[in-house]
Amino acid sequence: MNISLITELITSQFPEWKNLPIQPVEPCGWDNHTYRLGNELLVRLPSGAAYAPQVEKENLWLPRLAPVLPLKIPCPVAMGKPNRNYPWNWSIYKWLEGTTASTKTISHMDDFAVALAHFLRMLQKVDTTG
């Protein structure tokens, strides 16, 4: 995966964002290759066939989940399609500012655990009928 491929995908499918700078996000993750697109957006491309089905699920469910959850979650703004150089659907999301959770970044682990438990309880209450 490289920036020239991301540039090609953006330019051909979302030309309104073609002039925005593209930078890799570190750490990148396992399931997706992740890049900043300007200051407001994030590009995620599945790293393998096993992860490709997540794109459509995320584009369907994340907008439905966001209003009922107590914490911000990624919000998709566009779904890209495969091309001759990349074989799967991919997504553009709004950028969420923050840091990766770890014992180095969390000063009050009890508060973090309570917030996470509340988030999971709210997630479990979501009606997934249909």
Side-chain angles (χ1 to χ4, degrees):
M1 191 65 51
N2 58 50
I3 290 178
S4 63
L5 173 60
I6 309 305
T7 301
E8 174 189 330
L9 291 167
I10 297 294
T11 299
S12 65
Q13 297 183 39
F14 303 103
E16 66 271 30
W17 296 319
K18 70 181 181 184
N19 294 321
L20 295 176
I22 300 168
Q23 298 176 325
V25 172
E26 298 296 334
C28 189
W30 185 263
D31 297 4
N32 294 280
H33 301 284
T34 310
Y35 294 82
R36 279 295 287 269
L37 179 60
N39 293 323
E40 308 275 326
L41 301 170
L42 172 82
V43 178
R44 286 182 30 164
L45 299 98
S47 60
Y51 307 117
Q54 293 175 359
V55 173
E56 288 187 45
K57 288 178 191 175
E58 290 175 358
N59 275 268
L60 173 68
W61 281 102
L62 293 178
R64 293 178 181 184
L65 294 172
V68 298
L69 294 176
L71 300 172
K72 290 182 181 179
I73 63 171
C75 181
V77 294
M79 184 169 68
K81 300 294 181 188
N83 76 0
R84 67 188 183 331
N85 294 317
Y86 186 76
W88 306 296
N89 288 338
W90 51 282
S91 292
I92 299 175
Y93 295 85
K94 289 182 182 175
W95 175 259
L96 288 178
E97 198 60 51
T99 57
T100 301
S102 74
T103 55
K104 293 178 183 178
T105 61
I106 300 170
S107 58
H108 297 96
M109 199 57 81
D110 290 346
D111 294 340
F112 177 79
V114 169
L116 178 59
H118 179 62
F119 177 86
L120 293 173
R121 280 194 308 273
M122 297 303 292
L123 183 60
Q124 289 176 330
K125 290 181 179 182
V126 173
D127 181 6
T128 58
T129 305

